[in-house]
Each structure stands twice: as C-alpha cells, then as structure tokens.
Amino acid sequence: MLFPYSDENPSNSQPFVLQTIVAINVAVFLFQLYLSAFGLLPQFFQTYAVIPAREFSNFNQVISGQIGLIPTLLFPIFAAMFMHGGFFHIIGNMLFLWIFGDNIEDVMGHVKFLMFYLLCGIGATAAQIVSDPASIIPNIGASGAIAGVLGAYLINFPKARVKAIFLLGFIPIKLRIPALFYLGWWFVQQAFYSVLSLDDQVNMGTGGVAYWAHAGGFVFGVLLVKFFMTKQNPKALF
C-alpha cells in the first residue's frame, strides 16, 4: 500500500482556508473524545451525522415543502464533514488535505476554494445516499470533500510528483509518483470498491468505508474545478 507524505509542488500563497478547515476538524474530533469519555458519542453521531435513510426521507419532505432545506437536510451534511470515526480516520484525511489542498486553494483563491470544498462534500454525500438510501448507518468524515480536492489536483497538476512510501513487508520504500498515476489509481480503487459495495455480501467486508462518497466527491471535483479557477494553470490537463 502507498502512503503519501508530501508533494513536489510548492504553493505561492498562504492556505488560510485549508488551515482553518484542518483546525475545525481537529477541534471537533477533540470534542468527540470528550463526549466519548462520558458515553455520549453514539448519541452525537445519531443526532448530527448523515444517516442516508433519514436524509432521503427529509429530501422528499423538502421537495414537497413540508420542511425547510437548511436545518433538516444541509446542516447534517455540513456537520458530518467535520466529524471522524477515530484517530486513523482523521489523520489520514487531514494528511491528504494538507498535501493536496494548498495548491488548489492557490489556484482558486480562498473564498472559491471554500465553496468548492463544501460543494464537493455535498455531492459526495449525495452519491453515498443514492447508493444505499435505506441505510441507517451514520456517515461521517471529510473524505468526500477531500476527494473533490484530489480530483481538482489531478486536473491541475497531473505531472506534479507525489512523495509516497510503499511498505514491502516491514521495509519502507520511498517513491516519487506523478499525480496523474497516483490519484488516477486512487480513484480506480474507490470506484472498484464502490461497485463491490452494492453487493450486500461483499459490502460486509468493506469495513464501513463510504466508497461512493470517495468516488462521487472525486468526480464532482473533476467536473467543478474549472468553474472555480481564479488563476489559469498551463500545466492543467484541460
């Protein structure tokens, strides 16, 4: 397995929004640890996380005008983007965001990057809900929004080198891989497991990972990136 730890693509501006997003995620996770110490974390997840069956029902009620859009439908989606299921979950997500997000904020600007990040998170959540609208398992994590950032990075910096470690048994091997291959392969994996997760028997072995959110967020990132660009990047794929 490949573990990225850096890239050879320095940013030309200070990524204030990225740093704020990371700080909020860390703060929420610390709050979760506090709740967990008192046995309140499951209730917190049930109340504020995205539960596909509930969101699907709320969506139908929003369409029919029975309930408001923001408090019942969008708030859980935004809240869930800043919640995580454990140390490895948040560390992995924040690492990916830190490596790839600064360059995207640089080419979009601070405000557009924030809008892009949140829209990718919404799109990723929608993809996960549609894949299993009857699920009552809480969905949490910034993975979908970050996947959108990865899609934007692939389009803008396909030749940038990603520094990663490949574990050959207990032997770490350092590699420098073009982003086009690293992120392209990452997306293929997420798409493959997304399809497998549609099979209930296979889904039991996916470890509760929201692969549809990963793949969906990535696709949204690829589709939306050009609408949010502030700087023209001659290195971009298109």
Side-chain angles (χ1 to χ4, degrees):
M1 186 173 182
L2 288 172
F3 300 93
Y5 63 91
S6 182
D7 67 342
E8 297 178 350
N9 191 16
S11 175
N12 296 314
S13 61
Q14 188 73 13
F16 295 114
V17 173
L18 182 149
Q19 292 168 348
T20 302
I21 291 173
V22 172
I24 294 174
N25 275 277
V26 172
V28 171
F29 186 70
L30 292 176
F31 180 63
Q32 289 178 214
L33 294 179
Y34 171 80
L35 293 176
S36 180
F38 294 94
L40 299 175
L41 190 57
Q43 180 181 347
F44 179 73
F45 284 161
Q46 286 292 328
T47 303
Y48 296 107
V50 169
I51 298 178
R54 183 174 65 195
E55 292 297 301
F56 191 75
S57 174
N58 287 344
F59 176 76
N60 290 330
Q61 294 183 65
V62 168
I63 295 299
S64 62
Q66 300 178 42
I67 58 177
L69 174 66
I70 294 177
T72 55
L73 194 64
L74 290 183
F75 179 76
I77 294 177
F78 288 133
M81 288 187 208
F82 298 93
M83 299 156 61
H84 289 85
F87 284 100
F88 288 111
H89 192 196
I90 188 171
I91 290 172
N93 275 350
M94 295 304 101
L95 178 62
F96 269 80
L97 180 58
W98 193 263
I99 293 172
F100 300 105
D102 60 334
N103 299 106
I104 302 307
E105 184 172 347
D106 184 45
V107 296
M108 289 184 178
H110 306 306
V111 175
K112 287 187 175 181
F113 174 73
L114 177 60
M115 294 172 59
F116 174 81
Y117 181 86
L118 294 176
L119 283 175
C120 286
I122 294 173
T125 301
Q128 188 63 36
I129 292 173
V130 170
S131 73
D132 190 4
S135 174
I136 59 173
I137 300 174
N139 287 188
I140 58 175
S143 306
I146 295 170
V149 173
L150 302 186
Y153 192 99
L154 181 144
I155 296 301
N156 274 281
F157 307 103
K159 296 181 180 180
R161 297 282 175 170
V162 178
K163 296 180 180 179
I165 293 177
F166 175 71
L167 289 179
L168 184 60
F170 293 102
I171 304 174
I173 300 175
K174 291 185 177 182
L175 301 173
R176 295 167 60 253
I177 308 168
L180 179 64
F181 295 111
Y182 182 84
L183 296 177
W185 174 242
W186 182 90
F187 172 71
V188 169
Q189 287 181 302
Q190 307 310 306
F192 175 73
Y193 284 117
S194 295
V195 175
L196 284 185
S197 70
L198 295 176
D199 187 319
D200 290 336
Q201 292 182 344
V202 176
N203 190 33
M204 295 296 291
T206 58
V209 178
Y211 287 109
W212 278 98
H214 295 179
F218 191 95
V219 171
F220 269 89
V222 169
L223 295 177
L224 293 177
V225 59
K226 284 300 178 182
F227 297 100
F228 288 85
M229 297 290 290
T230 300
K231 301 177 182 179
Q232 295 299 321
N233 181 16
K235 301 178 181 178
L237 280 178
F238 55 81

PDB file of all heavy atoms in Angstrom, residues 9-14 102-103 106 231:
ATOM      1  N   ASN A   9       5.404  20.316  -5.127  1.00  0.00           N
ATOM      2  CA  ASN A   9       4.569  21.309  -5.804  1.00  0.00           C
ATOM      3  C   ASN A   9       4.285  22.459  -4.839  1.00  0.00           C
ATOM      4  O   ASN A   9       3.191  22.561  -4.278  1.00  0.00           O
ATOM      5  CB  ASN A   9       3.260  20.652  -6.258  1.00  0.00           C
ATOM      6  CG  ASN A   9       2.459  21.544  -7.185  1.00  0.00           C
ATOM      7  OD1 ASN A   9       2.967  22.517  -7.730  1.00  0.00           O
ATOM      8  ND2 ASN A   9       1.201  21.202  -7.365  1.00  0.00           N
ATOM      9  N   PRO A  10       5.269  23.326  -4.607  1.00  0.00           N
ATOM     10  CA  PRO A  10       5.099  24.404  -3.633  1.00  0.00           C
ATOM     11  C   PRO A  10       3.986  25.370  -4.015  1.00  0.00           C
ATOM     12  O   PRO A  10       3.767  25.670  -5.187  1.00  0.00           O
ATOM     13  CB  PRO A  10       6.465  25.107  -3.642  1.00  0.00           C
ATOM     14  CG  PRO A  10       7.063  24.760  -4.963  1.00  0.00           C
ATOM     15  CD  PRO A  10       6.578  23.381  -5.284  1.00  0.00           C
ATOM     16  N   SER A  11       3.275  25.856  -3.000  1.00  0.00           N
ATOM     17  CA  SER A  11       2.198  26.822  -3.206  1.00  0.00           C
ATOM     18  C   SER A  11       2.756  28.234  -3.160  1.00  0.00           C
ATOM     19  O   SER A  11       3.739  28.509  -2.481  1.00  0.00           O
ATOM     20  CB  SER A  11       1.125  26.637  -2.136  1.00  0.00           C
ATOM     21  OG  SER A  11       0.136  27.625  -2.238  1.00  0.00           O
ATOM     22  N   ASN A  12       2.083  29.147  -3.860  1.00  0.00           N
ATOM     23  CA  ASN A  12       2.531  30.532  -3.912  1.00  0.00           C
ATOM     24  C   ASN A  12       1.784  31.446  -2.955  1.00  0.00           C
ATOM     25  O   ASN A  12       2.008  32.659  -2.939  1.00  0.00           O
ATOM     26  CB  ASN A  12       2.373  31.072  -5.341  1.00  0.00           C
ATOM     27  CG  ASN A  12       3.257  30.338  -6.329  1.00  0.00           C
ATOM     28  OD1 ASN A  12       4.441  30.104  -6.062  1.00  0.00           O
ATOM     29  ND2 ASN A  12       2.692  29.960  -7.464  1.00  0.00           N
ATOM     30  N   SER A  13       0.884  30.879  -2.168  1.00  0.00           N
ATOM     31  CA  SER A  13       0.106  31.693  -1.230  1.00  0.00           C
ATOM     32  C   SER A  13      -0.130  30.918   0.059  1.00  0.00           C
ATOM     33  O   SER A  13       0.036  29.694   0.107  1.00  0.00           O
ATOM     34  CB  SER A  13      -1.237  32.097  -1.856  1.00  0.00           C
ATOM     35  OG  SER A  13      -2.008  30.946  -2.164  1.00  0.00           O
ATOM     36  N   GLN A  14      -0.522  31.628   1.098  1.00  0.00           N
ATOM     37  CA  GLN A  14      -0.805  31.007   2.381  1.00  0.00           C
ATOM     38  C   GLN A  14      -2.212  30.398   2.352  1.00  0.00           C
ATOM     39  O   GLN A  14      -3.188  31.113   2.104  1.00  0.00           O
ATOM     40  CB  GLN A  14      -0.720  32.053   3.502  1.00  0.00           C
ATOM     41  CG  GLN A  14      -0.804  31.479   4.901  1.00  0.00           C
ATOM     42  CD  GLN A  14       0.471  30.747   5.306  1.00  0.00           C
ATOM     43  OE1 GLN A  14       1.495  30.867   4.641  1.00  0.00           O
ATOM     44  NE2 GLN A  14       0.414  30.007   6.382  1.00  0.00           N
ATOM     45  N   ASP A 102      -3.393  22.765  -0.512  1.00  0.00           N
ATOM     46  CA  ASP A 102      -2.809  24.107  -0.592  1.00  0.00           C
ATOM     47  C   ASP A 102      -2.694  24.602  -2.031  1.00  0.00           C
ATOM     48  O   ASP A 102      -2.939  25.776  -2.326  1.00  0.00           O
ATOM     49  CB  ASP A 102      -1.442  24.141   0.105  1.00  0.00           C
ATOM     50  CG  ASP A 102      -0.437  23.170  -0.503  1.00  0.00           C
ATOM     51  OD1 ASP A 102      -0.871  22.151  -1.085  1.00  0.00           O
ATOM     52  OD2 ASP A 102       0.777  23.424  -0.391  1.00  0.00           O
ATOM     53  N   ASN A 103      -2.339  23.711  -2.942  1.00  0.00           N
ATOM     54  CA  ASN A 103      -2.197  24.108  -4.345  1.00  0.00           C
ATOM     55  C   ASN A 103      -3.547  24.443  -4.971  1.00  0.00           C
ATOM     56  O   ASN A 103      -3.632  25.329  -5.826  1.00  0.00           O
ATOM     57  CB  ASN A 103      -1.526  23.000  -5.150  1.00  0.00           C
ATOM     58  CG  ASN A 103      -0.129  22.685  -4.655  1.00  0.00           C
ATOM     59  OD1 ASN A 103       0.088  21.651  -4.022  1.00  0.00           O
ATOM     60  ND2 ASN A 103       0.814  23.575  -4.909  1.00  0.00           N
ATOM     61  N   ASP A 106      -4.580  27.778  -3.830  1.00  0.00           N
ATOM     62  CA  ASP A 106      -3.746  28.762  -4.503  1.00  0.00           C
ATOM     63  C   ASP A 106      -4.327  29.145  -5.860  1.00  0.00           C
ATOM     64  O   ASP A 106      -4.360  30.331  -6.223  1.00  0.00           O
ATOM     65  CB  ASP A 106      -2.328  28.218  -4.668  1.00  0.00           C
ATOM     66  CG  ASP A 106      -1.379  29.226  -5.288  1.00  0.00           C
ATOM     67  OD1 ASP A 106      -1.411  30.395  -4.869  1.00  0.00           O
ATOM     68  OD2 ASP A 106      -0.617  28.849  -6.186  1.00  0.00           O
ATOM     69  N   LYS A 231      -6.854  31.448 -11.177  1.00  0.00           N
ATOM     70  CA  LYS A 231      -5.626  31.535 -11.955  1.00  0.00           C
ATOM     71  C   LYS A 231      -5.632  30.478 -13.053  1.00  0.00           C
ATOM     72  O   LYS A 231      -6.018  29.332 -12.802  1.00  0.00           O
ATOM     73  CB  LYS A 231      -4.406  31.329 -11.055  1.00  0.00           C
ATOM     74  CG  LYS A 231      -4.267  32.309  -9.905  1.00  0.00           C
ATOM     75  CD  LYS A 231      -3.070  31.954  -9.054  1.00  0.00           C
ATOM     76  CE  LYS A 231      -2.933  32.886  -7.861  1.00  0.00           C
ATOM     77  NZ  LYS A 231      -1.773  32.510  -7.008  1.00  0.00           N
TER      78      LYS A 231
END
